[in-house]
Amino acid sequence: MPLLRKKPFVPIDLPPDLKADEEVFLNVLTKEIFRDYEEYFRRSILCNSLVWSCEYTGRSSLTLSEALQSEADAAEHLRKMPVVIQQGICFIIHKNEISSLTVFVDEVLSFYRTRFLVGEKVEIASTVKTASRKEGIITEVMVNPDTDFNHPNQIVYKCSIIGTQDHALSYTKTRFRV
């Protein structure tokens, strides 16, 4: 639910003694029912004021309908994010004490620019003269225990090419994410 002045919005409860034939005013955005037109009107003005913010993205100075749309868009982007990437982000959150959102974004970008995760789709550049590219999946990530994991050149990735039975291909460098 969108935030009202950076605090969670709590809609009013349904009146307990509401009768089935009673005339009421319905706020469609908040799904609240009002008996009094003045209360309904005040809530309508509040819904159209620029005091709302998106809980997911932090965008502020929105109306309630804009904040609801922003949250729906953010949720859709999260649904489209591959599970492998979600797991990696959870790993970064677990292993770091992140002081701000900016630092978190920098950590995630830095990690994903130089590393791949098991199950991630990649493009594999052929080392032969044909210079063809094939789509593959990372099947194993190997790090020499005597080296520094933080240095991406010390990581070896095993990949399988999608559409073939050959799972023993080993590539030490992949160039592009799919």
Side-chain angles (χ1 to χ4, degrees), residues 3-65:
L3 302 175
L4 173 62
R5 296 182 184 99
K6 299 185 180 182
K7 293 182 182 165
F9 171 70
V10 180
I12 62 170
D13 293 330
L14 191 66
D17 56 344
L18 188 64
K19 296 180 178 77
D21 61 344
E22 189 174 347
E23 260 189 49
V24 293
F25 302 96
L26 171 67
N27 186 311
V28 179
L29 290 173
T30 62
K31 313 261 187 307
E32 295 172 303
I33 293 178
F34 298 91
R35 287 185 167 137
D36 181 40
Y37 179 77
E38 291 297 321
E39 289 179 38
Y40 164 76
F41 184 73
R42 277 196 295 272
R43 184 53 56 101
S44 296
I45 295 296
L46 180 64
C47 291
N48 291 313
S49 299
L50 299 175
V51 294
W52 298 88
S53 58
C54 175
E55 184 177 22
Y56 302 141
T57 64
R59 287 183 57 209
S60 59
S61 299
L62 304 172
T63 64
L64 177 58
S65 60

Side-chain angles (χ1 to χ4, degrees), residues 103-156:
V103 172
F104 171 69
V105 170
D106 290 342
E107 288 280 331
V108 170
L109 287 175
S110 173
F111 185 85
Y112 278 105
R113 279 189 184 131
T114 58
R115 291 170 186 81
F116 298 98
L117 301 174
V118 172
E120 188 171 355
K121 287 185 179 179
V122 293
E123 272 188 12
I124 301 169
S126 175
T127 56
V128 294
K129 293 181 181 180
T130 61
S132 66
R133 297 185 190 280
K134 296 182 179 180
E135 192 173 284
I137 295 180
I138 303 292
T139 57
E140 190 176 350
V141 178
M142 299 170 291
V143 180
N144 184 343
D146 299 331
T147 61
D148 182 14
F149 177 72
N150 291 325
H151 197 282
N153 290 338
Q154 302 299 325
I155 303 171
V156 177

Side-chain angles (χ1 to χ4, degrees), residues 66-86:
E66 291 170 339
L68 287 167
Q69 184 61 49
S70 178
E71 288 187 356
D73 293 346
E76 181 63 26
H77 285 300
L78 285 175
R79 276 191 289 282
K80 289 181 180 178
M81 185 182 293
V83 173
V84 173
I85 304 292
Q86 292 176 19

